[in-house]
Every structure is written in structure tokens, then in C-alpha cells.
Amino acid sequence: MGPLRLPALAAFLLLTLLAPLALNPFWLRILTEILLWMGLAVSWNIIGGYTGYLNFGHGAFFGVGAYVTAIAMVHAGLPFGAGLLLGGCASAALAAFIGLPTLRLRGAYFAIATWAFAEMIRQVALLLEVTGGAFGMRVPGLLDPNFFYYVMWAAVAGTCAITYGLMERSRMGYKLRAIREQEEAAETLGVATTRLKLAAFALSATFPGVLGGIYGYWTTYIHPDSVLAGSVTDQMVVMVLLGGLGTAVGPILGAVLLQAVSRFLWLQTEQSVLYIIFIGLVICVVVQLLPDGLVGLWARLRRPQREAGGAA
Amino acid sequence: MLLEARDLVKRFGGLTAVSGMDLAVAPGTIVGLIGPNGSGKTTLFNLVSGLYRLDGGTVLFKGQDVTGLSPHRIARLGLGRTFQIPALFRKMTVEENLWVPAIDEPWQAVRRRAAEWLDLFRLTPLRAEPAEVLSGGQQKLLELARALMRDPDLLLLDECTAGVQPAMVAELLEAIRRLRDRGKAFVIIEHNMEVIQDLCEQIVVMHEGRAIARGDLAAVKQDAAVVEAYLGR
Amino acid sequence: MRVRLIVEGLRAGYGALEILHGVSLDTGGEAVTAILGPNGSGKSTLLKAVVGVLSPWGGSVRFDGVDLIGLPPHRIVRQGVTTLPQGGGIFPRLTVQENLLMGAYVLDDGQAVRTRLAEIFARFPVLAERRRQAAGSLSGGQQMLLAVGRALMTRPRLMILDEPSAGLAPRLVAEVFDLIRGLAVEEGMAFLLVEQSVRQALRVADRCVVLVQGEVRFAGGPSGLSGEGQLMDLYFGRRA
Ligand SMILES: Nc1ncnc2c1ncn2[C@@H]1O[C@H](COP(=O)(O)OP(=O)(O)OP(=O)(O)O)[C@@H](O)[C@H]1O
Ligand SMILES: Nc1ncnc2c1ncn2[C@@H]1O[C@H](COP(=O)(O)OP(=O)(O)OP(=O)(O)O)[C@@H](O)[C@H]1O
Ligand SMILES: [Mg+2]
Ligand SMILES: [Mg+2]
């Protein structure tokens, strides 16, 4: 925490935007993926960090965004931009729809409900004709070097991070944190808790929707087991928890670290088993030693600690 | 009448915590609500403020039927309450705790008002600390200050002096009296009879979910049932 | 002879913030010692440092000749010290009866536990009526009563109580203080208690200590306190 945070964030974003000029395609691609995960992790943190509602179905919004954008382009012949817009809106609307019943639930129940909902969406995508079912869907892509995608994702992830940062000192941010800390008290103090939680949920779902739309355009092929896979959510969650739940910098840090390790292990071994083991280890370490993530660790190291024990 | 609660009923499984309770509060008055532990006082507050769903009865606030309305709507009509066991936003700072209830008002005014309450309750040096580090009495004071930030027309106070040092209790009562003189109304749950004596023109004694006596302190103290159930000896 | 707790030059705090600036206190073998003082003066901090929940920075705590500093809290309990933390610290999801049994954790004798439980149920019938109810769904005062009951499940040599009367109705307050007096006389127990209900506290106390901003400003018999005009003004406010 500190007054330096916003400027630091701005400098970081600027650096990110200038980076592709100096990088070869290989590194550019890695950075591009990191940006994607950054956006996803930060968006998860909007609902998870501010309200404490842990969404274990966040990946569904990514998939829905990808499919809606693809369908708009393939079946309705809309341009990419219009498809993206639709993807984002569809995700937000869906969040509002499922949030209405589930955001009344508490803690673990919300997590389970969102997880089940995501699984349901995946099954539906496997069955429908318009999504191509189990065959997946081809998306007309832009055979551009990664530069276009890099800029797109940087823009979305940046917007998401700035949104998160601005919320911190906003009226909505205070109210959401109050809800997280003590929902009943917040309510008796005039905070419209259900409406605010819905708004935060819809906002947090918009970003993965847009990111998913770009993703389909990028890979040119989407399948329920790629964009709607449970592992998408798992990654986001682990990134946020590693970096620090409810902090502005944490999810960014977590995304950079985990995605870098993931790519490194892939390059070394060409298989994903090691990465899964690594994720397991990270979860153990976070749960055991870093309840407040890396950001919490940093804060703990910096705060002057009085040696306990004294005369003993 | 500012508040008129009629024939309220609340059951928890087989236990009827509030059974046919009436409560009326006029503007500019302070009503004392006393009664043995477990007699249903806090439950009554939870019903009136909308936190619990009623099993029977109606609540009118400012002439409007607020039965079944959600707590934040009732709050916005001008009804505030505190919690017996402080329900602070523990990880937020002391000062942020005070901002939340008034956050939609002009920023400067909110900060100024918060600073005034912090000053009165001697919490200013702790304003940037997370609320969870406050001592027991300081938490009670913050709980009260937070409810006052909305400047409600009716404030339900649930044992707001318990654990507060005597000197501060005196100042707190003075602040309540000043607000009363401005036309605000209060219902206060208290086990400290000196506070009741100091503040309340009108006292309601609850026992097993209903009112067993009403009147001023002298009258209530004479009542055999009250002595037996509540005061002892 | 009743046990004696002697605290000397105790310093403690949180993070880098020192709250207790060298506090000394001696129960002198008396039955009931009351600690009074304004909110935030460090009373709870003092109790926490004595029972080892908070590690002191310096000074000494001797209980019946044993140095308590550095002992983990559970060892201190085994020395015969029971604590009732501020607010009661009950386990809200356990039932009333389970909470009481937790209080007897250090007793190894099953028969003794059952007798104690029956005693407490007899003394506070409301706890018996609610024995299978989750403690968190009790009323505020009932929760406090449960905390008192739990502390009474053992017969420690020293019982430390942080505002045991908070939230209790007048009749029960009188009952709890009578109980304290009774145990002190009949069982030879010693009590160290923090109270904001000053009148009640002074009625049962043999000795009182006033803590202001982490320093002891008065120590002595309750009658001596009324002579301290300045201190009384600070603590009670300007009184008529
Ligand atoms: N959520 C709940 N579930 C079950 N019983 C409850 C619940 N809340 C309250 N009760 C019971 O209802 C009764 C009334 O409780 P309430 O908290 O209203 O008492 P109170 O008058 O405020 O007492 P106190 O002076 O101790 O605060 C008590 O017997 C309590 O055990
Ligand atoms: N965990 C903590 N971290 C930092 N400061 C703390 C912490 N706990 C307590 N304090 C501060 O230490 C001071 C003393 O607190 P303590 O709880 O000992 O007061 P007290 O005398 O028991 O007050 P009360 O009568 O209100 O219970 C308070 O100003 C409080 O804000
Ligand atoms: Mg109550
Ligand atoms: Mg205390």
C-alpha cells in the first residue's frame, strides 16, 4: 500500500506497451500469453478480492465470450469488433442472471454453484449445433504476427487493472469491501448489498468475455475443452492466491510468475505434467506459508517487527 | 409516532423469542428497553431493522409499512441500529468504517463528520489502524459512531455502553441527549440502570418475548414481576 | 495460603508499538484483585501477557514462585491459571455443553467433569435448557454466562476474568460476583479481574490497580481509591 502504487502501475503499463518493439516473435508470444492471464486473474480478483465471493466458474465467461464472438462472426457475418462487444455483453448479462440466485449464497456454496454452472455451460457447448458441438469451431483469424493480439490484450488487461485500481478508492470499492467484512452491518447502514454484488460480478465477467473473444480470433479454433476447460479457472485462482487476494498488484505478479514457469517447463519437457505438479506445490505453499500471497509477504517483511520473546 | 411495531412474533424452531410485542416511539424521545438475558430484546431490534423475517405482526416507520422491506431500504428511510457484539469492518481502517455509511454524501462533509465523532470518542490517534486492533471498549465506541454517521431519525442502540469507561459513558450520554433535543429518537437496550435513569422517560421491560411492564423507572422498579425476573433482590 | 502473582516491570505491545511500559502488580495473596482503567489503557494486553497469549518484551511474571514468562499458554493453564478473555471467546459452532466440556479440557478425571457440569447446570439453569443449542445462537448475555460457566469447569488456583459482567442483566451480575466471593472464601481461589462496572468491582475487590496508558497509576485497597481525586476525575469524568 502506498501513494506510489498508481504511478508505478502506469509506468509498468507503459513499459508493457513499448516492449513488443524490442522483442523477437518468440518472446512476444510468451509475453502475449502472460498479458492474457494477467487480464483474467485481475478480473477474477474484482469479485473475489473486493467481495470475498470466490468464483470457481470464472472460466465459463472466457469461453462464453470466445463462442459468442466466434458465432457472431461466423454465423451472423459481423465484424470482429462487433463480435467482441457482443461477447463482453453476453458474459456480463450471464453473470447478472446467475448472480441473482447464487450471490445470496455464502462462501463455499457460491463456489460450488459457480463451479457447477461452468460445467453446465461446457456441456451445453458440447451439445449445441451452433457451437459446433464436440467438433469445436473454426474462427476466421487475422494472420498477423502476434503484435495485434499483444496490443489488444494489453489494452484489455490494462483497462481491467486500472478499473480494479480505481475501484479501490471509489464509493463502490468501499461498499464492496464493507460487504466482504460484515455484510449484515453494511446492509443496516444502507448499502444495497445484492445490487452491488451483482454489479461487481457483471463487471468482473465482462473482461474475460472480451479476452475470450480475442483468444478465439487468435487461435482460430475453439473447443469446449480448450476455452471452457475447468483448468482455465484453476489457473486464474492460483495466480491470484499466489500473488495476493484483494490486492492490486498480486494477480499481475501471480500471472507473470506462473505463466513464465508454465512456458519454461513446457519448453524443457514438452509436456504439461510437470506444470501440474508445480501448481500443486504452489497451492501447498500458499495455503501453508503465504495466506496473503506474495504481496502479503512483502508487507510482512517491510513492517518493522518487534522481536517477541523479550527477557525469556 | 415515528415507529409503531405491532404484535411482532419471531420463532426459532420451537422457541418463540418474540411473542406479540408492541413498541411505539415518538420523535424526540428515548425509550429504554430492559429485560433479562435472552428475553428477546436483540431479536426485536433484528426484526425492526429488517434483518430477520417476521413470523407475525407489522412494523410502521414514519407512517409507512416497512414489514418485509430489506434492511438497507429501512436504513435509508432513517432508521439506524448498532450491534451488541460489535460488527465492524475489521480489516478496514477505523476512519473507513465511518465513511462507509455516508459514502454517497459529499466527500468533504463525510470526512469532517467522521473526524468529529473520532474526536469525541478519543479514537483520532487510531484512525488509520484496522478496526480489528481496537480494544473492546474502543470497538463499542466505533460501532456507535458508525451508526451515528448516517444521522438517523431513530437509532436502536444495543448495549452501547457495555465495556465503555465511565467518563466516556457520560460524554456519550450527553451526545445522545443533544441529538434527542434536535428531534432524534432512540431505543436503548441497557443493563446499566444508571444510564436508564439518566436518559429514559419511558421504559419497557421485556420478559420471554413480551412486554411485562411499561412506565418510568420508579414505576417499573416497584413492579414485582420486574424485580423477580430482572433486577433481583 | 492463597497463591500470589507478582508482575514486575512488564513491557509488551504489538508490532513495534509498546502498550505496557513496565507494569508492576502484586496480588499479595489477596483473594480478588481488580484492574481498572480507561479504554485502551492496556488492561487486556496485560492479562494476555500474563497468560502467555502475547509474548512480553521484558519484565517478569512470577506465579507461586514459578516464572511464567516464556511458558506456552497451555503450560500456564496446567499451572492452575484459567482465563476468560474479553467478550467471552466461546466457540460459536459448538453446543453449550461442548463449550463447557472444553473448559474441563485439563481435567483428566471423568467423574469430576460430570459433577462440575451438573453444578454449573444447577447454578445457571438457562445453560441446562440450552445444552444442545449452538452457542453462537445464544443471546449476548447468555453467551457471557456460558463463558463464565466454562471458566468455572476447573477450580484453578488463579482465575483471570476480563470483564465477566459485560452484557449480563443486573440479577446475574450480582450472582456472578457472589459466586466469585464464595469461591474465594470457600475454595481459597485467587481472582484477577478487569471490570468497567467499577462499583461492582470495588465491592468484591480486596485490592485494586488502576492502569492508565500502560502505566500503573494507583495500587492499593479500594477505599484508598476515592482519595485520588484527579484519577477519579479522569476515569469517571466530572461527577456531580
Ligand atoms: N439465531 C437464533 N437461533 C436460535 N435461537 C436464537 C437465535 N437468536 C436468538 N435466539 C434465542 O432467542 C432468545 C432471545 O435472544 P435475544 O438475543 O433477543 O435476547 P436478549 O434479550 O437480547 O438478551 P441479552 O440481554 O442477553 O442480549 C434467546 O433465548 C436466544 O437463545
Ligand atoms: N493486535 C493489536 N495491534 C495493534 N494494537 C493493538 C492490538 N490490540 C490492541 N491494540 C491497542 O492496544 C491498546 C490497548 O488495548 P487493550 O485491549 O489492552 O485495552 P484495554 O485496556 O483492555 O481496553 P478496554 O477497556 O477497551 O477493553 C489499544 O489502544 C489498542 O488499540
Ligand atoms: Mg441482546
Ligand atoms: Mg480490554
Side-chain angles (χ1 to χ4, degrees):
Chain A
M1 319 268 141
L4 271 179
R5 190 146 35 151
L6 265 185
L9 204 65
F12 175 75
L13 288 175
L14 191 70
L15 207 70
T16 314
L17 278 180
L18 294 178
L21 303 176
L23 290 175
N24 68 32
F26 171 78
W27 285 108
L28 188 60
R29 186 185 165 92
I30 294 209
L31 257 181
T32 305
E33 287 170 349
I34 288 182
L35 282 174
L36 166 65
W37 284 105
M38 240 186 239
L40 289 174
V42 176
S43 77
W44 189 82
N45 198 31
I46 289 180
I47 180 81
Y50 274 111
T51 66
Y53 278 89
L54 304 188
N55 175 3
F56 280 94
H58 207 55
F61 299 124
F62 180 72
V64 165
Y67 271 108
V68 169
T69 306
I71 291 167
M73 289 169 70
V74 174
H75 296 294
L78 291 175
F80 172 62
L84 265 193
L85 202 67
L86 276 179
C89 292
S91 285
L94 197 63
F97 178 71
I98 63 161
L100 209 52
T102 55
L103 282 171
R104 293 179 202 283
L105 306 177
R106 258 277 147 226
Y109 300 106
F110 176 79
I112 294 168
T114 47
W115 175 81
F117 150 78
E119 187 53 26
M120 184 195 79
I121 296 273
R122 195 176 71 89
Q123 294 298 340
V124 168
L126 276 168
L127 288 176
L128 287 183
E129 208 165 300
V130 65
T131 58
F135 296 108
M137 221 180 148
R138 281 205 176 283
V139 186
L142 181 68
L143 293 178
D144 175 272
N146 285 310
F147 189 68
F148 172 78
Y149 299 99
Y150 181 92
V151 173
M152 287 294 281
W153 274 332
V156 180
T159 312
C160 189
I162 290 172
T163 305
Y164 185 94
L166 289 178
M167 269 172 75
E168 185 134 19
R169 294 274 145 214
S170 74
R171 299 192 150 128
M172 182 168 172
Y174 280 117
K175 290 181 194 171
L176 289 174
R177 277 185 292 152
I179 291 173
R180 178 187 66 196
E181 294 298 311
Q182 239 299 340
E183 190 158 350
E184 285 195 344
E187 234 189 322
T188 58
L189 290 165
V191 176
T193 52
T194 308
R195 192 152 42 102
L196 268 158
K197 284 187 284 184
L198 269 182
F201 193 30
L203 181 66
S204 86
T206 310
F207 293 102
V210 175
L211 290 166
I214 306 171
Y215 181 85
Y217 203 44
W218 185 51
T219 55
T220 71
Y221 174 71
I222 56 176
H223 187 275
D225 289 337
S226 67
V227 291
L228 283 167
S231 58
V232 178
T233 306
D234 301 345
Q235 289 240 47
M236 290 186 247
V237 176
V238 177
M239 283 168 177
V240 177
L241 295 185
L242 172 65
L245 179 67
T247 63
V249 189
I252 298 178
L253 205 64
V256 173
L257 274 175
L258 280 193
Q259 190 57 25
V261 170
S262 154
R263 284 300 102 177
F264 174 78
L265 289 178
W266 173 255
L267 285 175
Q268 295 295 311
T269 65
E270 304 237 328
Q271 45 186 333
S272 51
V273 184
L274 271 182
Y275 179 60
I276 293 173
I277 295 174
F278 174 74
I279 289 280
L281 287 176
V282 167
I283 294 175
C284 293
V285 169
V286 168
V287 169
Q288 283 287 323
L289 306 171
L290 298 173
D292 298 315
L294 291 170
V295 172
L297 178 70
W298 169 243
R300 228 189 303 161
L301 290 178
R302 267 201 328 176
R303 198 181 323 125
Q305 277 275 335
R306 188 69 162 76
E307 250 329 293
Chain B
M1 279 293 145
L2 187 58
L3 176 79
E4 270 187 277
R6 290 198 208 111
D7 207 18
L8 302 190
V9 177
K10 180 66 191 178
R11 281 184 280 270
F12 296 108
L15 177 88
T16 307
V18 173
S19 60
M21 179 72 193
D22 295 328
L23 184 68
V25 185
T29 59
I30 304 177
V31 176
L33 184 59
I34 61 177
N37 295 121
S39 55
K41 305 180 297 294
T42 299
T43 306
L44 180 65
F45 275 13
N46 286 336
L47 292 173
V48 171
S49 60
L51 272 184
Y52 284 174
R53 204 165 287 284
L54 279 159
D55 291 321
T58 51
V59 182
L60 298 183
F61 184 61
K62 296 184 177 172
Q64 185 179 339
D65 188 350
V66 298
T67 320
L69 231 52
S70 63
H72 76 267
R73 288 194 189 283
I74 298 178
R76 286 175 185 189
L77 288 173
L79 189 144
R81 59 116 9 125
T82 67
F83 290 85
Q84 181 173 4
I85 299 164
L88 299 174
F89 308 130
R90 296 177 59 84
K91 296 252 182 305
M92 297 171 79
T93 68
V94 166
E95 155 173 85
E96 284 171 343
N97 266 268
L98 296 191
W99 294 343
V100 167
I103 196 97
D104 291 322
E105 296 170 34
W107 190 224
Q108 291 304 324
V110 173
R111 293 188 76 131
R112 187 161 10 88
R113 196 135 44 87
E116 283 168 17
W117 286 121
L118 288 177
D119 232 30
L120 179 71
F121 293 140
R122 313 269 189 284
L123 292 173
T124 307
L126 295 162
R127 66 176 185 281
E129 299 289 335
E132 63 185 349
V133 313
L134 296 189
S135 78
Q138 289 165 341
Q139 295 199 11
K140 287 296 252 194
L141 292 171
L142 183 59
E143 170 80 31
L144 173 62
R146 191 179 61 176
L148 287 167
M149 280 298 289
R150 285 192 72 83
D151 201 18
D153 298 312
L154 172 63
L155 187 50
L156 313 176
L157 299 176
D158 202 343
E159 294 189 28
C160 68
T161 68
V164 176
Q165 70 186 84
M168 183 57 74
V169 170
E171 291 193 40
L172 192 158
L173 299 189
E174 193 47 49
I176 290 177
R177 235 176 270 123
R178 271 201 306 275
L179 288 168
R180 191 260 322 266
D181 294 342
R182 273 177 43 205
K184 305 287 180 184
F186 296 84
V187 180
I188 61 173
I189 296 178
E190 262 303 334
H191 289 307
N192 181 345
M193 289 305 113
E194 290 165 33
V195 170
I196 294 284
Q197 174 144 35
D198 240 30
L199 280 184
C200 308
E201 306 78 38
Q202 199 189 335
I203 291 159
V204 179
V205 188
M206 264 185 103
H207 183 46
E208 295 181 344
R210 54 171 74 83
I212 55 165
R214 292 171 196 267
D216 61 14
L217 188 63
V220 161
K221 269 185 166 168
Q222 300 296 313
D223 194 306
V226 176
V227 173
E228 163 65 23
Y230 185 55
L231 298 169
R233 275 171 264 166
Chain C
M1 187 58 206
R2 216 171 253 119
V3 288
R4 187 166 170 190
L5 178 79
I6 304 172
V7 177
E8 268 168 1
L10 191 68
R11 293 187 304 113
Y14 307 95
L17 182 68
E18 186 174 283
I19 303 287
L20 302 178
H21 315 290
V23 170
S24 300
L25 173 159
D26 184 353
T27 64
E30 297 279 10
V32 181
T33 306
I35 304 175
L36 307 173
N39 294 126
S41 61
K43 303 180 296 297
S44 299
T45 306
L46 172 60
L47 299 189
K48 283 189 250 175
V50 167
V51 300
V53 175
L54 186 72
S55 307
W57 298 354
S60 75
V61 177
R62 271 177 302 130
F63 174 67
D64 199 21
V66 180
D67 188 0
L68 294 188
I69 285 192
L71 285 189
H74 68 270
R75 296 277 303 280
I76 295 181
V77 173
R78 300 236 174 223
Q79 291 286 326
V81 182
T82 299
T83 317
L84 183 147
Q86 191 163 13
I90 53 148
F91 306 107
R93 291 176 185 221
L94 299 187
T95 64
V96 168
Q97 178 157 333
E98 285 164 344
N99 265 277
L100 291 172
L101 292 176
M102 289 301 284
Y105 192 74
V106 293
L107 291 187
D108 300 321
D109 177 358
Q111 186 53 45
V113 172
R114 275 189 295 277
T115 334
R116 233 10 97 56
L117 194 64
E119 264 171 44
I120 286 167
F121 281 153
R123 188 173 282 276
F124 303 127
V126 62
L127 296 183
E129 284 163 30
R130 304 296 166 87
R131 58 167 53 155
R132 296 192 205 299
Q133 189 174 328
S137 70
L138 293 178
S139 83
Q142 290 167 341
Q143 292 187 19
M144 203 61 213
L145 199 63
L146 173 60
V148 172
R150 189 181 60 187
L152 291 171
M153 284 296 287
T154 54
R155 287 286 180 273
R157 292 190 291 167
L158 172 67
M159 189 174 283
I160 294 183
L161 306 168
D162 199 344
E163 301 199 21
S165 79
L168 292 187
R171 226 189 69 173
L172 278 174
V173 174
E175 202 169 321
V176 166
F177 280 108
D178 285 352
L179 188 64
I180 290 177
R181 212 51 259 180
L183 287 170
V185 174
E186 287 154 26
E187 313 248 349
M189 281 167 59
F191 289 86
L192 181 63
L193 59 93
V194 168
E195 261 302 332
Q196 290 296 356
S197 310
V198 181
R199 219 172 301 278
Q200 291 289 348
L202 293 184
R203 195 174 299 155
V204 293
D206 302 295
R207 176 180 280 258
C208 73
V209 174
V210 179
L211 200 64
V212 179
Q213 294 190 345
E215 284 169 14
V216 173
R217 292 278 296 273
F218 173 86
S223 49
L225 191 57
S226 41
E228 299 277 323
Q230 219 183 338
L231 194 59
M232 296 297 274
D233 278 353
L234 174 82
Y235 188 42
F236 284 101
R238 261 197 265 137
R239 295 184 313 156

